[in-house]
Amino acid sequence: MKARVHISYKNGVLDPQGRAIGQTLGNLGFAGVGEVRQGKLIEIELAETDAGAARQAVEAMCQRLLANTVIENYSIELVD
Amino acid sequence: MKARVHISYKNGVLDPQGRAIGQTLGNLGFAGVGEVRQGKLIEIELAETDAGAARQAVEAMCQRLLANTVIENYSIELVD
């Protein structure tokens, strides 16, 4: 089973990298670009085959390592 | 309209950050963790309301700025 974890900054948290991308898109001539936010996408191969147990394990991984829950949100998606 | 762009390394491209995450998960006691890959998730607010035109614009943004197509794959998802 494979898990995809999306990690993004919470609303209101300054995202300088996203802002730099937005400005550069404007400089390149792309019009109508509003706010840009950059987050992380982590894909994890798991030996676990039970979806419930896999989700619980990935939830624990997010809490303990993958996300900084003070400033970041995460969402978990299981594939297969 | 909002676009979400997922950027990940192509298969076979070394991903040291993903490997470090995988090793750390093992060290923290998470069992059954296989390959871990880290990618980017870029969310872009667009003034464009036509889905076809929006996808074309984001495709051009990926080619010109967001992704390094030599070593990275990207996928575009339109929201709303």
Side-chain angles (χ1 to χ4, degrees):
Chain A
M1 181 163 279
K2 198 172 175 178
R4 305 179 114 202
V5 181
H6 296 181
I7 298 170
S8 52
Y9 285 119
K10 289 183 177 175
N11 281 334
V13 175
L14 186 68
D15 177 3
Q17 219 171 350
R19 192 161 292 183
I21 292 170
Q23 282 182 358
T24 307
L25 288 174
N27 295 345
L28 286 173
F30 290 104
V33 174
E35 196 181 20
V36 178
R37 309 279 287 175
Q38 173 163 351
K40 280 179 276 191
L41 171 68
I42 300 175
E43 296 181 310
I44 306 170
E45 291 279 358
L46 296 166
E48 183 63 59
T49 51
D50 177 65
R55 184 172 290 276
Q56 210 168 7
V58 176
E59 182 84 28
M61 291 175 196
C62 288
Q63 291 286 341
R64 290 191 60 194
L65 178 72
L66 303 180
N68 176 351
T69 55
V70 176
I71 55 169
E72 292 171 330
N73 286 325
Y74 60 86
S75 69
I76 298 166
E77 184 192 343
L78 295 175
V79 192
D80 291 0
Chain B
M1 183 163 275
K2 200 172 175 179
R4 305 180 114 202
V5 181
H6 296 182
I7 298 169
S8 52
Y9 285 118
K10 290 183 177 175
N11 281 334
V13 175
L14 187 68
D15 176 3
Q17 220 171 352
R19 193 162 291 183
I21 293 171
Q23 282 181 358
T24 307
L25 288 174
N27 295 345
L28 286 173
F30 291 103
V33 175
E35 196 180 22
V36 178
R37 308 280 286 175
Q38 172 162 349
K40 281 179 276 192
L41 171 67
I42 300 175
E43 295 181 311
I44 306 170
E45 290 282 356
L46 296 166
E48 183 63 60
T49 52
D50 177 65
R55 183 173 291 275
Q56 209 167 7
V58 176
E59 182 84 29
M61 292 175 196
C62 288
Q63 291 285 340
R64 290 194 58 196
L65 178 71
L66 303 180
N68 175 350
T69 55
V70 177
I71 56 168
E72 292 172 331
N73 286 325
Y74 61 86
S75 69
I76 299 167
E77 183 191 344
L78 295 175
V79 192
D80 291 358

